Amino acid sequence: MVQWIIGKWDAFSHDVYLNFIKESRYLLILDGLKTTILLSITAILFGIVLGGLATLLRRSKYGFLRAIGYTYVDVIRGTPSMMQLLVINFVVFASVNVDLFVVGTVAFGLNSGAYISEIFRAGILSIDKGQTEAGRSLGLSSSQTMTYIILPQAIKNILPALANEFIMLIKETAIVGYIAMRDLTKAGDIIRSLTYDAYMPLLAVALLYYLLVKILTLGIEWLERYLRASDMR
Amino acid sequence: MIVVNGLCKTFDKTPVLRGIDEHIHQGEKVVIIGPSGSGKSTFLRCLNLLETPTSGTILIEGEDITAPGANVDKIRQKMGMVFQQFNLFPHLNVLDNITLSPVKTGKNTKEEARDIAFSLLKRVGLEEKAGSFPGQLSGGQKQRIAIIRALAMSPDVMLFDEPTSALDPEMVGEVLQVMKDLAEAGMTMVVVTHEMGFAREVASRVLFMDEGLIAEQGEPDEFFKNPKNERTRSFLSRVGI
Ligand SMILES: Nc1ncnc2c1ncn2[C@@H]1O[C@H](COP(=O)(O)OP(=O)(O)OP(=O)(O)O)[C@@H](O)[C@H]1O
Ligand SMILES: [Mg+2]
């Protein structure tokens, strides 16, 4: 029995050594984690800008601007993000030499911008029409009404949804290996190809994703409680 | 002061206002009554362009507000509106509710707006609520705040759309009192209401709307004593007069 446990332990520590310690392979994982987090952050920021623009376009009084905003959201939501990534890398940026990180940011920013635009739209629509009418009847312009009355209220619905979108993005970026970016997933895969052990590296990578998402989810729950508490006054 | 000519409003092919001609003079208190769906709210909302008229013209102090290129925001600053559902801004405290528009439209500085807000709050006896949020107020208090929020823009005319209909009965009186005080102070008012007592006491003119038209109008004494129109008579008997 004891023999068996010791044997298992030895095998386990050997696997850990082989996959993570030898040749400092854990650094691959750490670098990958860093890339995943940084890419998700730049992409969500770019997405927020695009989503805001798309929302403005879709609320414009000019039909052709509304059509542009609508088409953008429609096309992005109607195609796989994998396709979008490949098109951005191998078509849009095919003949220009830019950093892969920029390519990833553009691809995932474009993708999440469409979903973020929907988040903004739903947030704005969740505010009672009477609020807009009260603002306008007081002589405020439509942009003043949006800035001082609608958005401050809509933000309570928008923030948690945005945080959710960020979580989605962290998981979505796992496909950037296809354009040769070394994110967390790719790091696990590289180690697997070096050690011929799939179990350890992939499990470690999955665990890191899970922890990352778990921490953010707890953060969102806290945020929602906080926002709800501020509603009570 | 307000001249309405041939005002029509159609929602998806359903005519709601069918040619309204009306003249409202400075200092008048016009009370609009009529059955549900007769177009009272729509008429009121056309006056400050919350609804866009389908046809017809509306002149406010000689300016055609339905003309393309009319400065709608500027016009609305001169017309206060009070809603059935109060529509206070829940994320702002009472003081900020009142000062937001005067400050953001550039009418007043922050300090001026604050002083005006406090003198208005005093007028309706709600000074101590300046720092409260709408969610902490009773319905009657909310509506009184909504009224002075509109007054803070120093409007030339005040529009009321059933200001007491969403209130518990015991709070109706305090809101009507504020409106009576306002009437006494000489404000031009257009009021849609089911409060016949208020109409009797305050109105200089009562309009009866029916199916998108002003079916009958008159001074309250004459109007309530001798309604001429058959529809007016049946409406008044239904509301118990
Ligand atoms: N935005 C809208 N879209 C479509 N129909 C509308 C709209 N607003 C009002 N209507 C219709 O216009 C008619 C008149 O409505 P309005 O609100 O002016 O009546 P009202 O006299 O104020 O009635 P109430 O006493 O119930 O408030 C109703 O039949 C209503 O259904
Ligand atoms: Mg109505």
Side-chain angles (χ1 to χ4, degrees), chain A residues 51-68:
Chain A
L53 276 174
T55 310
L56 282 180
L57 288 177
R58 290 167 82 189
R59 297 177 59 82
S60 164
K61 58 182 169 192
Y62 302 108
F64 75 100
L65 290 182
R66 285 201 301 276
I68 293 173

Side-chain angles (χ1 to χ4, degrees), chain A residues 128 130-131 133-141 144 148-149 152-153 233, chain B residues 45 73 76-77 79 83 87-91 101 104-105 133 136 149 153:
Chain A
D128 186 80
Q131 293 287 308
E133 293 186 346
R136 298 308 302 274
S137 79
L138 286 165
L140 296 171
S141 68
Q144 284 172 327
Y148 301 115
I149 297 169
Q153 298 183 60
R233 50 177 198 207
Chain B
R45 293 159 56 82
D73 296 337
R76 288 194 183 120
Q77 290 170 23
M79 312 179 77
F83 302 86
N87 294 340
L88 292 183
F89 308 132
H91 61 299
S101 187
K104 295 304 174 191
T105 57
F133 283 85
Q136 301 166 324
R149 178 177 70 178
M153 289 301 289

Side-chain angles (χ1 to χ4, degrees), chain A residues 99-163:
Chain A
D99 196 284
L100 275 178
F101 194 82
V102 174
V103 178
T105 300
V106 170
F108 286 103
L110 268 173
N111 177 268
S112 77
Y115 294 93
I116 289 173
S117 158
E118 286 293 291
I119 289 172
F120 285 164
R121 209 172 76 98
I124 290 168
L125 286 179
S126 72
I127 304 303
D128 186 80
K129 196 162 121 276
Q131 293 287 308
T132 307
E133 293 186 346
R136 298 308 302 274
S137 79
L138 286 165
L140 296 171
S141 68
S142 74
S143 62
Q144 284 172 327
T145 303
M146 189 47 75
T147 311
Y148 301 115
I149 297 169
I150 306 303
L151 285 183
Q153 298 183 60
I155 200 78
K156 293 183 179 180
N157 298 323
I158 290 174
L159 271 186
L162 267 186

Side-chain angles (χ1 to χ4, degrees), chain B residues 147-160:
Chain B
I147 292 172
I148 61 172
R149 178 177 70 178
L151 289 176
M153 289 301 289
S154 326
D156 297 335
V157 54
M158 285 283 285
L159 312 174
F160 295 82

Side-chain angles (χ1 to χ4, degrees), chain A:
Chain A
M1 180 67 191
V2 174
Q3 277 299 318
W4 184 81
I5 291 176
I6 290 175
K8 277 287 172 200
W9 174 252
D10 277 352
F12 178 75
S13 47
H14 171 262
D15 281 356
V16 168
Y17 172 79
L18 177 70
N19 283 293
F20 303 125
I21 315 286
K22 193 177 171 202
E23 294 171 1
S24 296
R25 282 174 186 152
Y26 70 93
L27 285 179
L28 279 172
I29 301 256
L30 283 186
D31 277 349
L33 182 64
K34 201 172 107 195
T35 301
T36 290
I37 293 175
L38 283 181
L39 178 62
S40 302
I41 290 175
T42 55
I44 194 107
L45 292 179
F46 188 41
I48 288 171
V49 173
L50 284 177
L53 276 174
T55 310
L56 282 180
L57 288 177
R58 290 167 82 189
R59 297 177 59 82
S60 164
K61 58 182 169 192
Y62 302 108
F64 75 100
L65 290 182
R66 285 201 301 276
I68 293 173
Y70 175 82
T71 308
Y72 160 62
V73 174
D74 196 47
V75 167
I76 294 292
R77 299 213 304 170
T79 52
S81 45
M82 179 75 157
M83 274 301 304
Q84 295 160 15
L85 178 68
L86 295 179
V87 167
I88 296 291
N89 189 49
F90 296 112
V91 179
V92 176
F93 285 115
S95 51
V96 250
N97 195 9
V98 291
D99 196 284
L100 275 178
F101 194 82
V102 174
V103 178
T105 300
V106 170
F108 286 103
L110 268 173
N111 177 268
S112 77
Y115 294 93
I116 289 173
S117 158
E118 286 293 291
I119 289 172
F120 285 164
R121 209 172 76 98
I124 290 168
L125 286 179
S126 72
I127 304 303
D128 186 80
K129 196 162 121 276
Q131 293 287 308
T132 307
E133 293 186 346
R136 298 308 302 274
S137 79
L138 286 165
L140 296 171
S141 68
S142 74
S143 62
Q144 284 172 327
T145 303
M146 189 47 75
T147 311
Y148 301 115
I149 297 169
I150 306 303
L151 285 183
Q153 298 183 60
I155 200 78
K156 293 183 179 180
N157 298 323
I158 290 174
L159 271 186
L162 267 186
N164 255 320
E165 173 63 22
F166 184 59
I167 288 179
M168 296 297 292
L169 206 46
I170 286 177
K171 292 183 286 180
E172 286 262 303
T173 56
I175 58 174
V176 286
Y178 280 91
I179 64 166
M181 276 187 81
R182 291 192 173 188
D183 72 323
L184 184 55
T185 302
K186 186 72 180 177
D189 203 41
I190 291 172
I191 294 175
R192 181 190 59 76
S193 66
L194 292 174
T195 60
Y196 300 107
D197 177 8
Y199 183 75
M200 274 281 158
L202 296 187
L203 207 69
V205 163
L207 190 68
L208 280 174
Y209 273 116
Y210 179 77
L211 286 177
L212 200 54
V213 169
K214 191 74 201 172
I215 290 168
L216 287 168
T217 309
L218 290 174
I220 294 179
E221 278 167 15
W222 177 85
L223 178 71
E224 281 179 330
R225 263 202 307 280
Y226 172 81
L227 291 175
R228 218 173 307 130
S230 75
D231 266 351
M232 295 300 177
R233 50 177 198 207

